[in-house]
Amino acid sequence: MSRTKRFLGGVSLGYTNQVLVTIVGLWLTPFLLHRIGQHDYGLWLVGAQLLGYLGLMDFGIVALLPRATAYATGRSGSVVAAKDLPQIIGQTTWLVLCQTPLVALAACILWFTIPNAWGPLRMPIGVVMLSFVLTFPLRIFPAVLQGLQDLTFLGKLTIAAWITSTALTIGLVLAGKGLYSLAFGWVVAQLITAGISYLRLRRNFPETLPQRLPSLSWLTARRQLTQGFWVSVAQLAQAFVSGTDMLIIGTLVGPLAVVPFACTGKLIGVLANQPQMLMQSAGPALSEMKMSESRQKLFQVCTALSQAMLLVSGAVVCVVLTVNRGFVNWWVGADQYGGLLLTALLLLTMLLRHWNTTAVYAIFCFGYERRISVTTLLDGAVTVGGAILFVRLFGVIGAPMGALLGVCLVSLPGNLSALAHESGVKPTILIRTLWPWFYRFGLLAAGAWVVARVFVPQTFSAIAITALLSGAVYGSVMLPLILREPLGSYVRPRLSGAFLKFRQVLLVRGADV
């Protein structure tokens, strides 16, 4: 199977998962607010961000494993020929096992520092932290599958784990278990993902798993820890960038203010994952291409991914601007809507972060861990400092204002310049290739803002029709860009193939008649 087909298979299933999450989430969030209460649900949202900080104890070791796996298969030409892959996985396993006691210690410290005012959260989040520690080494298995680009299977597994976890959560909430329902649902999802990933490797890729753990020299461990250190710094910085907004709001304004902020950004967060999955699925392929393709080919692929990312992200902006107020009013009530300005700031932050993400994934696959780490850390410092200042001054809208400050002043300039250097072009050329999208998007976004000011859809059917019309207008304006090079070289063959299959189906049905 080609890299493009593996990539599209993973992306399509990722989108399917997001559709399911969106549909069920429309019902689940009001259900949880009614059964658990706004205060406790707000505490859970804050606790979820605390758990993200615990994941930083990985030190970047598992995060590097998909890239190392892709490098090994890229050098050898196939999985079977990658004779060094079992050793790579075995050495990574050694390091992760050595890290586990440190993870347990960090979990204990984090648990004991939970404020007394957050009492209802203490025991449920303790269950989650205990499970995180016990399953910490098992995260190796899905990471290897990602590096092998077994993305279709991972997509199916993610859907199955989410369905099981959500069903368990709903059942426990109905049984009156409160926040424990969310905790046990999270635990089950992790166990399913890790366990079935291991079985997949044993059955389909047995040659990748070591028969026994290899020896690990200090030089090898030091090299991996050094590389992982910079990834870990980047993960810490990313937690500052995207994992502190609810903590800051919950601390400075209160847990009750977290829920309107989260509800206003819910649709944005769900749809923002769609373009994000493009880069997550493309990461292993980029790492493999670095070992086997020319710099010109890499530049073409990176430009195409940037175009695809911004095209989808821009569609999210235009659609959500027009329907978000009506959506939140219909979904959880008008009192949980944070306003059009908050919506616009969250969307602008999402768009710029997506653009930055294309550069980050590309230069990460080219070995720029240290630069990414330093850049993201500076971004995180600016984001957190700006968010604290602006939340004190302006309330909840200060959180996205701080994020905009960080991405505009630090991340975009730093990462785009690195991508330009790796691609062998000037940074202005990277921006110039996207200019046809930028000016079209600016006009469409301005029109969506005007529509949002004068029209609010009140019913689900009105929301759906408005979203479809907004998406149709956006798609019709952007269609020439989708078919234009370099993205067009990947899109046109798929469209032609889909058209031929559709025509064949019509001919077969006509013959049957």
Side-chain angles (χ1 to χ4, degrees), residues 275 278 304-317 351 434 436-437 440-441 474-475 477-484 487 491:
L278 291 173
L305 285 170
S306 296
Q307 288 180 342
M309 186 79 143
L310 289 175
L311 281 165
V312 179
S313 187
V316 172
V317 171
L351 180 74
L434 300 173
W437 173 85
R440 286 176 172 87
F441 167 75
Y474 180 89
V477 173
M478 295 296 181
L479 182 60
L481 297 184
I482 296 174
L483 301 178
R484 185 181 300 176
L487 182 60
V491 173

Side-chain angles (χ1 to χ4, degrees), residues 37-113:
Q38 182 170 337
H39 180 271
D40 284 4
Y41 185 59
L43 285 177
W44 178 260
L45 294 175
V46 174
Q49 290 199 332
L50 287 175
L51 189 64
Y53 287 98
L54 187 59
L56 299 176
M57 294 304 297
D58 167 59
F59 297 125
I61 300 301
V62 175
L64 284 171
L65 187 55
R67 191 184 73 179
T69 302
Y71 278 174
T73 57
R75 284 192 300 266
S76 59
S78 68
V79 177
V80 176
K83 302 300 183 183
D84 57 339
L85 192 52
Q87 183 176 8
I88 292 171
I89 296 173
Q91 291 173 342
T92 302
T93 304
W94 260 121
L95 287 173
V96 173
L97 289 173
C98 293
Q99 289 176 308
T100 303
L102 297 177
V103 175
L105 177 61
C108 291
I109 295 173
L110 191 60
W111 188 78
F112 279 108
T113 56

Side-chain angles (χ1 to χ4, degrees), residues 47 61 83 87 92 117 171 229 258 267 281 332 355 372 408 460 476:
I61 300 301
K83 302 300 183 183
Q87 183 176 8
T92 302
F229 168 77
V258 173
L267 189 60
S281 300
V332 288
W355 187 17
I372 293 171
C408 291
F460 178 77
S476 62

Side-chain angles (χ1 to χ4, degrees), residues 170-210:
I170 293 171
L172 291 175
V173 169
L174 291 173
K177 301 303 180 182
L179 291 180
Y180 284 101
S181 310
L182 295 164
F184 285 115
W186 186 92
V187 170
V188 167
Q190 305 308 305
L191 291 174
I192 290 174
T193 301
I196 296 182
S197 294
Y198 170 75
L199 295 176
R200 174 72 170 183
L201 286 170
R202 293 294 300 178
R203 179 177 177 179
N204 293 73
F205 307 99
E207 64 277 358
T208 64
L209 297 177

Side-chain angles (χ1 to χ4, degrees), residues 124-256:
I125 204 69
V127 171
V128 171
M129 290 180 178
L130 177 62
S131 170
F132 184 88
V133 172
L134 295 178
T135 61
F136 184 75
L138 304 182
R139 298 180 309 135
I140 287 175
F141 304 126
V144 173
L145 287 178
Q146 184 182 0
L148 295 173
Q149 300 178 61
D150 195 10
L151 302 178
T152 300
F153 176 81
L154 282 176
K156 294 176 181 178
L157 176 57
T158 300
I159 292 172
W162 177 83
I163 290 174
T164 306
S165 169
T166 303
L168 178 63
T169 298
I170 293 171
L172 291 175
V173 169
L174 291 173
K177 301 303 180 182
L179 291 180
Y180 284 101
S181 310
L182 295 164
F184 285 115
W186 186 92
V187 170
V188 167
Q190 305 308 305
L191 291 174
I192 290 174
T193 301
I196 296 182
S197 294
Y198 170 75
L199 295 176
R200 174 72 170 183
L201 286 170
R202 293 294 300 178
R203 179 177 177 179
N204 293 73
F205 307 99
E207 64 277 358
T208 64
L209 297 177
Q211 298 298 319
R212 58 185 180 84
L213 292 182
S215 59
L216 181 65
S217 67
W218 167 243
L219 289 178
T220 301
R222 181 181 177 182
R223 183 178 68 253
Q224 286 192 251
L225 288 171
T226 301
Q227 292 177 333
F229 168 77
W230 290 108
V231 175
S232 183
V233 171
Q235 290 174 332
L236 174 63
Q238 190 61 39
F240 289 156
V241 167
S242 60
T244 57
D245 47 6
M246 294 186 192
L247 280 173
I248 293 171
I249 293 171
T251 302
L252 297 180
V253 185
L256 291 175

Side-chain angles (χ1 to χ4, degrees), residues 324-349:
N324 199 43
R325 181 178 178 181
F327 167 77
V328 175
N329 292 352
W330 168 81
W331 178 40
V332 288
D335 55 337
Q336 303 294 354
Y337 179 61
L340 181 59
L341 179 58
L342 177 61
T343 300
L345 290 172
L346 289 171
L347 286 168
L348 181 58
T349 302

